Structure formats: structure tokens, C-alpha cells
Amino acid sequence: MSRKVLITGATGLIGSEIVRQCHAAGIAVNYLTTSREKIENTENYKGFYWNPQKGEIDFQAFDGATAIINLVGATISERWTKKYKKIILESRLESINLLRDTLLKIDHNIVHFISASGISIYPNSKTKLYTEENEEVDDTFLGEVVVAWEAAAAQFKNMGMEVSKVRTGVVLAKNDGALPKLVKPIKLGVGAPLGSGEQWISWIHLEDIAGIYLFLLTNQLEGKYNAVAPNPVQNKKMTKMIASKLDSPLWMPNIPDFAIKLLLGEMSVLVLEGQLVSSQKVEKLGYPFKYYNLENALQDLL
């Protein structure tokens, strides 16, 4: 089991929770950051500078680490202009390629590469349950991004490492990510299901997504893993459950597809489409979900 891990994206939403859980499990963390202001240096948490765009990286970041958790990637929830789509894709590939090129150059002890990925690789469907065995790929921009991202991660296999790809669902957290965006209109009394409301949301609580990374790390498991809770819900059900928790009545009709497309453009697929995704693989291997149902996740977060 790894006693020190190198994390990219350690100061982000998921990264910060993984760091917290690593420390609780006695695992030290080295992390790479593009911001010199975010460099800390304590016994079990050491920061190192890198700039993937310029190909700059501090080799000392790899000292003592036996695994890498790679979380870097520009947010997909900013408007997808042609320029920004390029940033979404390149931010993921440049960072992975710099890690690969560096490891080919230096002496290191890395045996396990764990990379973030997304369930948006699966096509939009209201009826099909997707497992890691499904080969179909969504024909949207996000499908294309995930394919390129996973292919870049797969290169580490050729370097003799175990490779894990964590296909992340909709992460629910108190102050960041999708949940505050869903809560805000409901609190203001203007909440409503989006589009048909029948699109699936394969969600996961922040503590469980970080828990899955730690589970893969400590058990050195390779392969593709859906990081979603066991009980996905449809958009209309999630909206109703949030409203009921907040004691805020829903009185508006569903917000029509065309209005959302007008507002969000191509990125409207993020809210109008969804996938029903299975968590059985990671459950069968023994990962104990802390938040199994949306009910207890919302109880914790709201």
C-alpha cells in the first residue's frame, strides 16, 4: 500500500477531500500546483510548482511517491466557446503528457496511475443501465474529451504501471459543484425540473468519490470504475427532494428544452441529458458507500 501519493489538482473540490482522507489513513501527499502561492511544506503535505502549458515541472514532486492521482482539468461548467472547448481538452492532455514525459526521464517508484475521467463517455439514455463493460461512446464534445483523456492515461500501462480510470458522476458537495447551482433557484422560489425532468442524474457524494480514489489506491486496483452512488435519480425527483428538504414549494412548470439551449448553447447537454450508470463493480470489490441514497446525501449536505 502506498505511503505517499502525488496528487495533481489537490487543491480543488475532490482533491481537497482526497487529501483529507489520505491524511486520516496515514498517507503523505505531495502535490503539483500551478500557483506558487498554494505551495505548502509540512511533513505530510508538500507542494511543488508545475506549468503543463510550458512543460515545466519540479522533479522533486515524485520523491518517495509510489502512486499518482491525476485530477487536473479545466471546469466543464463554463460556456463552451470554440476557444474554451480547446482549453477543456488541452488542460487534461497537457498535464498527463507532462507527467508521462517526466517519468520517462527520471528515476522514480511510481507503480500506480489513477486518473479522473467522466461518465459523460456513455451515450444519453433514459432506459439503458451502463456498466464499465459498455463500449458505446457518446457523440457529444464531452464524449470526445473523455475518450482522449482515457487514452492519454492508458499510456502509463506501457510504462509498466497499473492504470485506473475513475469515471466520475455528478459530485454533490455543500459549497461547490452542482448542488449549490440546483439549490439556488429553489431557495428563490423559482425552482423547476429541467426539460422533461426524466433525464437521469448519476450522482455521488463528495466523501464517496474521494473514498473510491482512496479505495483504488490502497488496494492497488486497476481498470475502469464508475464513481457513482448506487441509486441514481431523475432530474425531477432530485428537484423535488431538494425542495422538500428546503421546505420550498415548487410551483413553476418544467423549464423547456429550448429555453435552456438558448441560455447554455452546446453545454445544455450537461443538464438536459443524462446517463443511468451502475456502481456495482466497485461495490462488489468491497467499497462501502457512505451515502447510498440521495435522501441521506441531502440530509448531510443541506
Side-chain angles (χ1 to χ4, degrees), residues 25 27 93 110 120 136 144 148 204 206 240 242 253-254 292 298:
I27 299 168
L93 302 187
I110 305 291
S120 41
E136 306 95 305
E144 181 192 318
I204 185 165
L206 177 63
K240 279 180 188 158
I242 293 171
N254 289 23
Y292 215 79
L298 293 179

Side-chain angles (χ1 to χ4, degrees), residues 129 167-170 172 201-205 208-209 212 226-233 276-280 282-283 287 289-294 296-297:
L129 178 68
R167 290 180 170 172
T168 310
V170 176
L172 301 184
I201 299 178
S202 290
W203 60 276
I204 185 165
H205 189 290
D208 277 323
I209 177 72
I212 287 174
N226 292 332
V228 294
N231 294 292
V233 295
L276 180 58
V277 179
S278 166
S279 61
Q280 273 205 330
V282 75
E283 281 183 274
Y287 177 72
F289 276 91
K290 190 171 175 188
Y291 296 95
Y292 215 79
N293 293 308
L294 186 60
N296 62 351

Side-chain angles (χ1 to χ4, degrees), residues 186 188-192 248-254:
I186 295 172
L188 294 170
V190 292
S248 183
L250 292 176
W251 56 272
M252 283 179 62
N254 289 23

Side-chain angles (χ1 to χ4, degrees), residues 7 11-12 18 22 42 57 61 72 75 81 121 141 162-163 169-170 183 195 213 219 230 244 265 278 284:
I7 303 180
T11 57
I18 293 175
C22 278
T42 63
I57 189 168
V72 169
T75 176
T81 58
I121 192 166
F141 165 65
E162 309 276 20
V163 174
V170 176
V183 164
Y213 274 98
N219 293 293
S244 138
S278 166
K284 280 181 177 161

Side-chain angles (χ1 to χ4, degrees), residues 82-149:
K82 197 173 170 188
K83 186 180 174 189
Y84 193 68
K85 279 163 78 170
K86 192 166 179 267
I87 290 170
I88 288 174
L89 186 60
E90 285 180 357
S91 63
R92 283 156 176 77
L93 302 187
E94 283 170 349
S95 49
I96 285 192
N97 291 338
L98 179 54
L99 290 169
R100 181 205 61 208
D101 295 348
T102 307
L103 289 172
L104 287 169
K105 271 190 273 196
I106 64 170
D107 282 335
H108 65 84
N109 300 309
I110 305 291
V111 293
H112 194 185
F113 186 79
I114 307 172
S115 184
S117 176
I119 60 167
S120 41
I121 192 166
Y122 303 119
N124 172 45
S125 176
K126 291 194 173 74
T127 53
K128 188 177 174 73
L129 178 68
Y130 289 106
T131 71
E132 292 83 352
E133 302 304 308
N134 287 101
E135 297 293 334
E136 306 95 305
V137 172
D138 195 26
D139 58 3
T140 59
F141 165 65
L142 282 186
E144 181 192 318
V145 168
V146 178
V147 168
W149 204 3

Side-chain angles (χ1 to χ4, degrees), residues 172-240:
L172 301 184
K174 212 178 222 101
N175 302 316
D176 201 354
L179 190 59
K181 294 185 180 80
L182 292 166
V183 164
K184 193 176 174 184
I186 295 172
K187 270 190 171 165
L188 294 170
V190 292
L194 304 174
S196 70
E198 285 168 13
Q199 64 277 33
W200 286 98
I201 299 178
S202 290
W203 60 276
I204 185 165
H205 189 290
L206 177 63
E207 281 180 45
D208 277 323
I209 177 72
I212 287 174
Y213 274 98
L214 201 65
F215 181 72
L216 299 179
L217 174 72
T218 51
N219 293 293
Q220 213 172 311
L221 297 169
E222 65 169 342
K224 295 178 281 211
Y225 296 91
N226 292 332
V228 294
N231 294 292
V233 295
Q234 289 176 306
N235 172 269
K236 58 186 176 190
K237 185 172 181 188
M238 184 178 271
T239 308
K240 279 180 188 158

